[in-house]
């Protein structure tokens, strides 16, 4: 009996935003382990190069490319480069997001609002548009949006961030419905509390952490690597009939 090939990504080109650390790094490494050539991206090239070098040292294929997904011209630039260097894209993981202000919603400042919307909504949207056009030319692909449990149940003092994550869940359904005809699937991952720099203010504060753990049936915070398996499923043929879904990976928080 031979092992399943359903999770193989040999020959695939994958782009992972926010891949220099945290959840994105874990995703990039797992996709590369399964055979994909991974474009490791974030704003700062040094961190991306570090992750790409680690993938290559491990026998995988990776290229580091900087891209600030809140800047429209950087999105156009990165896709021009992908077309030139790779000619195709099979998997897009929209993972990089921002959450610049923790405050009561009534204290939201316009700058933080604009930055959050520009990165978390406009960035995900136009990365998907550019990737979708390239995928359409080659018969399809898979887009995975890293949203959040906050998109369903807003986090305290995370108002506009939670609003953008709800938008990402809806965006996932929009792309799923309109791009299915081009062979493109689009799904979302909703991580729960995960031990990364992004969540360090919550995880390193014992009082906040204990309150959070009371609401998580598995009674622990996730490791970044625990998010990557779901992305591999959504990126691979194992999920070939799955599109438009939002998968909670949250230790039972939303159940
Ligand atoms: N950690 C959690 O508890 C948690 C829970 C739910 C959802 N999430 C979601 O999971 C995703 C990843 O979060 P994480 O916890 O892994 O965060 P993280 O460890 O802080 O990593 C964030 C990554 O995004 C990059 N980045 C930030 N702003 C960017 C921008 N404008 N353009 C391009 N890259 C950018 C960062 O690198 P540079 O600084 O080089 O740009 C870094 O690679 C986010 O969508 C977040 O909303 C996280």
């Amino acid at each position: 009996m031979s092992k399943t090939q359903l999770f193989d990504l040999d020959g695939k080109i994958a782009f992972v935003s926010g891949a220099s650390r945290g959840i994105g790094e874990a995703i990039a490494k797992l996709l590369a382990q399964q055979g994909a050539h991974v474009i490791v991206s974030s704003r700062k090239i040094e961190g991306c190069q570090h992750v790409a070098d680690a993938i290559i040292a491990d026998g995988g294929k990776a290229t580091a490319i900087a891209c600030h997904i809140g800047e429209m011209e950087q999105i156009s630039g990165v896709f021009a480069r992908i077309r030139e260097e790779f000619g195709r894209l099979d998997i897009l993981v929209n993972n990089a997001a921002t959450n610049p202000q923790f405050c009561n919603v009534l204290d939201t400042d316009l700058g933080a609002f604009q930055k959050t919307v520009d990165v978390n909504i406009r960035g995900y949207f136009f990365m998907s548009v550019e990737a979708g056009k390239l995928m359409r030319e080659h018969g399809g692909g898979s887009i995975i949006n890293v949203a959040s449990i906050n998109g369903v149940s807003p986090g305290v003092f995370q108002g506009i961030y939670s609003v953008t994550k709800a938008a990402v869940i809806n965006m996932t359904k929009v792309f799923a419905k309109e791009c299915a005809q081009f062979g493109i699937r689009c799904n979302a991952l909703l991580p729960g509390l995960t031990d990364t720099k992004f969540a360090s203010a919550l995880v390193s504060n014992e009082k906040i952490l204990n309150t959070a753990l009371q609401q998580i049936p598995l009674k622990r915070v996730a490791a970044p690597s625990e998010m990557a398996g779901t992305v591999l499923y959504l990126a691979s043929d194992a999920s070939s009939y799955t599109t438009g879904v939002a998968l909670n990976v949250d230790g039972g928080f939303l159940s």
Side-chain angles (χ1 to χ4, degrees):
M1 195 166 38
S2 58
K3 284 187 183 167
T4 178
Q5 307 293 305
L6 279 174
F7 295 93
D8 277 7
L9 300 180
D10 285 339
K12 305 283 187 194
I13 309 293
F15 183 101
V16 184
S17 70
S20 64
R21 60 173 187 262
I23 294 171
E25 176 180 1
I27 292 168
K29 287 181 170 171
L30 186 62
L31 298 187
Q33 199 181 311
Q34 289 304 109
H37 186 132
V38 179
I39 302 165
V40 177
S41 188
S42 79
R43 288 168 301 182
K44 300 179 204 99
I45 192 69
E46 298 78 16
C48 299
Q49 194 59 59
H50 187 73
V51 172
D53 288 347
I55 289 172
I56 293 163
D58 212 25
K61 295 182 275 302
T63 303
I65 304 182
C67 177
H68 186 326
I69 64 154
E71 305 283 344
M72 289 300 292
E73 63 282 8
Q74 292 203 26
I75 293 178
S76 314
V78 83
F79 274 93
R81 189 163 161 198
I82 292 169
R83 278 180 181 278
E84 196 181 304
E85 276 184 40
F86 300 94
R88 60 183 293 137
L89 187 68
D90 304 289
I91 299 157
L92 168 69
V93 184
N94 278 315
N95 166 74
T98 192
N99 188 9
Q101 196 185 17
F102 280 83
C103 65
N104 184 280
V105 69
L106 300 186
D107 297 319
T108 307
D109 83 48
L110 183 57
F113 176 96
Q114 196 62 57
K115 182 177 178 192
T116 313
V117 169
D118 287 355
V119 173
N120 299 6
I121 300 182
R122 194 182 66 187
Y124 275 46
F125 189 92
F126 283 100
M127 288 294 291
S128 300
V129 166
E130 292 293 338
K133 287 177 181 170
L134 198 44
M135 289 171 178
R136 181 174 60 183
E137 290 170 23
H138 294 274
S142 175
I143 298 173
I144 298 119
N145 292 322
V146 179
S148 170
I149 52 170
N150 284 9
V152 175
S153 177
V156 178
F157 286 173
Q158 298 172 66
I160 185 54
Y161 170 78
S162 300
V163 170
T164 64
K165 290 298 186 177
V168 168
I169 295 168
N170 189 273
M171 190 190 303
T172 301
K173 295 178 187 172
V174 169
F175 279 82
K177 283 189 171 175
E178 296 200 19
C179 300
Q181 61 185 310
F182 308 124
I184 300 167
R185 298 183 295 107
C186 183
N187 294 288
L189 162 74
L190 275 57
L193 191 55
T194 307
D195 193 6
T196 67
K197 187 178 175 196
F198 199 81
S200 57
L202 308 177
V203 174
S204 63
N205 181 317
E206 207 174 324
K207 202 172 153 207
I208 297 177
L209 179 63
N210 285 334
T211 310
L213 291 180
Q214 281 168 23
Q215 299 171 59
I216 302 171
L218 285 183
K219 294 290 173 224
R220 63 180 179 83
V221 168
S225 60
E226 292 182 281
M227 299 298 143
T230 300
V231 175
L232 171 60
Y233 165 68
L234 294 172
S236 66
D237 285 346
S239 63
S240 56
Y241 198 60
T242 301
T243 195
V245 306
L247 276 175
N248 312 331
V249 182
D250 63 353
F253 174 84
L254 288 176
S255 56

